[in-house]
Amino acid sequence: NAGVTQTPKFQVLKTGQSMTLQCAQDMNHEYMSWYRQDPGMGLRLIHYSVGAGITDQGEVPNGYNVSRSTTEDFPLRLLSAAPSQTSVYFCASSYERGRAQHFGDGTRLSIL
Amino acid sequence: AQSVTQLGSHVSVSEGALVLLRCNYSSSVPPYLFWYVQYPNQGLQLLLKYTSAATLVKGINGFEAEFKKSETSFHLTKPSAHMSDAAEYFCAVSENSGNTPLVFGKGTRLSVIA
């Protein structure tokens, strides 16, 4: 049972480049979310989805896009990378929005 | 709006000593509360959760937490620290209706001294 799988694990980008962070889960969870983790800031919610075709903004959505075409996948897109987006990104899933979430291992993103 | 305050960004204990990590929450409705642990370069792993049943919740690795409504607290304890407990710990809150995402505290890094 793979759980939540994030790819890539590491990425270095130049300012202005775009990229997509992938997230897939095999637990048939309706709820999926993206967080960023920065030192001393804890985890901050970027975007979330309560089911296929439904997404909503979290606390820090600017500069990021999401879509949810299937139950399994919830990619996060950086439209034009900025150094302030250097962070560790975590994808999580659960059967319902306010319930215990299963986390992936994270993507460590550096933007130069 | 809900919020979580974790008192102490860094806690250091001796091996075998009591571990106490503090978490206070703010919620206008009955909450669900969670503790997660993060080991270096890994994702978050659920330690335990409070979902309005027993107020004393036991989790994995010998940890437990007590929900105290009057104090709006959900402190995490372990009677005897082990070197392998060194990690970062996060407290999180949501509404028990399931209508709000989890809100995380800023985390507490636990160091265990031999």
Side-chain angles (χ1 to χ4, degrees), chain B residues 24-44:
Chain B
N24 287 89
Y25 69 91
S26 172
S27 178
S28 58
V29 299
Y32 281 176
L33 293 156
F34 309 86
W35 275 100
Y36 285 85
V37 61
Q38 184 183 33
Y39 299 103
N41 299 315
Q42 294 187 23
L44 277 71

Side-chain angles (χ1 to χ4, degrees), chain A residues 31 35 37 40-45 48 88 90 96-106 108, chain B residues 32 34 36 38 41-44 46 49 88 90 94-102 104-106:
Chain A
Y31 180 75
Y35 291 87
Q37 182 180 23
M41 300 294 290
L43 278 79
R44 291 182 291 169
L45 183 64
Y48 64 93
V88 182
F90 287 100
E96 195 175 30
R97 182 165 20 186
R99 302 298 185 247
Q101 297 190 39
H102 299 257
F103 281 82
D105 288 336
R108 284 150 184 82
Chain B
Y32 281 176
F34 309 86
Y36 285 85
Q38 184 183 33
N41 299 315
Q42 294 187 23
L44 277 71
L46 181 69
K49 60 184 178 181
E88 186 142 23
F90 293 93
S94 69
E95 292 182 5
N96 68 357
S97 62
N99 289 330
T100 60
L102 267 63
F104 284 84
K106 295 186 186 308

Side-chain angles (χ1 to χ4, degrees), chain A residues 48-105:
Chain A
Y48 64 93
S49 168
V50 297
I54 306 169
T55 63
D56 206 347
Q57 296 181 351
E59 180 185 356
V60 288
N62 292 341
Y64 307 95
N65 269 0
V66 292
S67 59
R68 183 95 178 270
S69 57
T70 67
T71 299
E72 294 77 21
D73 300 299
F74 190 44
L76 178 72
R77 298 181 184 84
L78 279 69
L79 308 174
S80 177
S84 61
Q85 294 177 304
T86 293
S87 187
V88 182
Y89 291 86
F90 287 100
C91 180
S93 75
S94 65
Y95 75 89
E96 195 175 30
R97 182 165 20 186
R99 302 298 185 247
Q101 297 190 39
H102 299 257
F103 281 82
D105 288 336

Side-chain angles (χ1 to χ4, degrees), chain B residues 17-88:
Chain B
L18 171 71
V19 175
L20 171 61
L21 303 182
R22 298 178 187 274
C23 172
N24 287 89
Y25 69 91
S26 172
S27 178
S28 58
V29 299
Y32 281 176
L33 293 156
F34 309 86
W35 275 100
Y36 285 85
V37 61
Q38 184 183 33
Y39 299 103
N41 299 315
Q42 294 187 23
L44 277 71
Q45 178 183 359
L46 181 69
L47 269 180
L48 50 80
K49 60 184 178 181
Y50 166 77
T51 56
S52 72
T55 57
L56 182 62
V57 181
K58 295 187 183 299
I60 62 173
N61 302 338
F63 284 94
E64 63 181 36
E66 186 172 9
F67 172 67
K68 292 186 176 181
K69 183 178 178 180
S70 60
E71 299 177 8
T72 60
S73 68
F74 191 57
H75 301 330
L76 182 70
T77 60
K78 182 174 180 178
S80 177
H82 192 273
M83 297 297 289
S84 61
D85 294 327
E88 186 142 23

